[in-house]
């Protein structure tokens, strides 16, 4: 994705190897003369100075705006995995305005909100950490109970296994757009659907990885989803179909990208009047089938007509009502039968192709196994219980910050994906300036002005 935030470098000289006995020098050939220089050797950067106080945004009561507050203590690192980061850009998320408006997910008052930012490492966890001082990083804060990790402040504490190094091609503004959406997408696909990403830049097989974790280390409220949510024989594999209702959201954006990398076929249900042309022409998130959400029942009919019983997986990004509608499009009656040998299936192979031995009789068919439909709700599930043949899933987000093996596997995979250009940040709709502009940005989100991309606040 080309962005006006990308740094552009201009090459003004041509470098050629120096034909000398010293291999550590290069000759830079300019317009009139050659100058011998010594390449820079990467050295450990000294830690950045850290002030004792900072400016933050505090929420003092539900249904109130955040208050800009100065002289607030800079959070202190407390463990061997914690890193201190100076905030440069913050990505705004719907939860940031919905939580105070509807008075949920606020464990204490005054409260600091914010779920993702890009910034610069100020203090690394330890000498063995892959993170270094002054590294440009993305911080993904899914632990909303620890205010040190909230992003509406100038300095933030994060676990190193929740921190992603950004490649030079990604600006801080772009980096701040994709953290929470990536985690939600990867866990929905990898844990709830059982997608194996090991063939994509050595990505994680979360289905297997989470089952290697001692059960007592998994929070009780997500243990069932992690260990029993989907059976091994029902895991999604390349060629399976996935429908995403609310396909214009940032979470859908990352879900589509990761699903396509894993070989899944995708359906996006969106408001085509607003997002149809953009999605149809988008390199990273163009889906195999694009369906208009204007008439929900017609959308279901279109999916059924095109897929003819082949859709077992659905992810809803909108809420309970649309999740209920999406359930109608899923097909729990799919049957999985073993493939017949090519000769028995009417292929081109004959007895002469395999020697003089007589052909083997056809294999005895196995009993057909009915596979369940799987519905994942990112913001809500149908009110009724799952009908026979269907399974409801809630994404176990807390795995990311509570289980280092999961968080570490995801952030290091994201580093490789970004470095290789296999994942693109969502579009930036607009950029606000300064912590004090966050209330204005959240008001724009409340009014529905931000759709199909992210609103970012540049802090430094």
């Amino acid at each position: 994705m080309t962005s006006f935030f990308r740094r552009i470098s201009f090459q003004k000289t041509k470098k050629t190897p120096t034909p000398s006995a010293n291999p550590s020098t290069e000759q830079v050939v300019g317009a009139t003369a050659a100058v011998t220089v010594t390449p820079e050797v990467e050295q450990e950067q000294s830690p950045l100075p850290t002030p004792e106080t900072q400016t933050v945004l505090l929420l003092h009561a539900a249904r109130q705006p955040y208050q800009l507050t100065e002289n607030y203590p800079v959070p202190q690192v407390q463990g061997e995995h914690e890193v201190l980061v100076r905030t440069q850009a913050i990505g705004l998320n719907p939860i940031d305005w919905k939580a105070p408006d509807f008075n949920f997910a606020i464990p204490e008052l005054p409260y600091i909100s914010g779920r993702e930012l890009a910034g610069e490492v100020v203090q690394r966890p330890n000498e063995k950490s892959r993170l270094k001082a002054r590294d440009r990083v993305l911080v993904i804060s899914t632990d909303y109970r620890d205010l040190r990790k909230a992003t509406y402040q100038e300095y933030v504490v994060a676990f190193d296994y929740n921190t992603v190094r950004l490649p030079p091609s990604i600006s801080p503004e772009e980096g701040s757009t994709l953290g929470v959406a990536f985690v939600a997408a990867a866990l929905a696909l990898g844990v709830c659907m059982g997608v194996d990403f090991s063939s994509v830049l050595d990505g994680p097989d979360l289905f297997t990885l989470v089952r290697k974790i001692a059960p007592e280390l998994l929070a009780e409220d997500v243990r069932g989803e992690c260990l029993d949510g989907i059976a091994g024989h029902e895991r999604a594999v390349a060629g399976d179909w996935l429908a995403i209702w609310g396909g214009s959201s940032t979470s859908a954006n990352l879900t589509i990208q990761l699903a396509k990398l894993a070989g899944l076929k995708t359906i996006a249900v969106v408001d085509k009047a607003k997002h149809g042309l953009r999605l149809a022409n988008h390199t990273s998130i163009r889906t195999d089938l694009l369906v208009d959400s204007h008439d929900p029942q017609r959308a279901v009919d279109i999916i059924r007509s095109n897929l003819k019983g082949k859709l077992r997986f659905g992810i809803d990004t909108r809420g309970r009502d649309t999740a209920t509608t999406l359930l109608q499009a899923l097909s729990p009656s799919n049957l999985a039968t073993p493939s017949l040998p090519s000769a028995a299936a009417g292929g081109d192979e004959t007895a002469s192709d395999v020697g003089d031995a007589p052909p083997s009789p056809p294999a005895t068919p196995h009993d057909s196994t009915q596979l369940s439909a799987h519905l994942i709700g990112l913001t809500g599930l149908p009110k009724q219980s799952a009908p026979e043949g269907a399974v409801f899933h809630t994404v176990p987000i807390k795995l990311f910050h509570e289980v280092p093996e999961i968080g570490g596997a995801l952030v290091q995979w994201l580093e490789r994906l970004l470095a290789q250009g296999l994942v693109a940040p969502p579009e930036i709709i607009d950029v606000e300036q300064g912590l004090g502009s966050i209330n204005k940005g959240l008001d724009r989100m409340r009014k529905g002005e931000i759709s199909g991309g992210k609103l970012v606040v540049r802090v430094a």
Side-chain angles (χ1 to χ4, degrees), residues 13-14 16-19 26-37:
T13 60
K14 180 180 179 181
T16 58
T18 302
E26 291 181 328
Q27 190 176 59
V28 181
V29 181
T32 58
V35 180
T36 300
V37 298

Side-chain angles (χ1 to χ4, degrees), residues 103-151:
N103 195 18
F104 74 96
I106 303 174
E108 62 180 277
L109 290 171
Y111 183 64
I112 305 176
S113 191
R115 295 291 176 266
E116 55 194 353
L117 65 78
E120 187 176 31
V121 172
V122 174
Q123 182 179 337
R124 65 188 297 196
N126 54 68
E127 293 183 356
K128 296 181 180 180
S129 173
R130 78 185 202 288
L131 301 176
K132 298 179 176 61
R134 302 176 190 270
D135 274 353
R136 299 168 59 253
V137 295
L138 158 65
V139 171
I140 308 170
S141 176
T142 55
D143 184 4
Y144 70 95
R145 296 183 181 277
D146 189 343
L147 302 193
R148 299 176 306 140
K149 300 171 185 173
T151 63

Side-chain angles (χ1 to χ4, degrees), residues 237-243 259-260 262-267 287-289 307 310-311 313:
V237 296
D240 282 342
W241 284 89
L242 166 65
K260 291 174 65 175
L264 301 183
K265 297 180 179 180
T266 54
I267 305 167
T287 57
D288 297 281
L289 180 62
L307 273 294
K310 297 179 181 178
L311 178 64
F313 298 99

Side-chain angles (χ1 to χ4, degrees), residues 4 9 24 182 230 323 370 451:
F4 60 92
S9 60
S24 65
F182 170 80
I230 187 168
Q370 181 171 336
S451 180

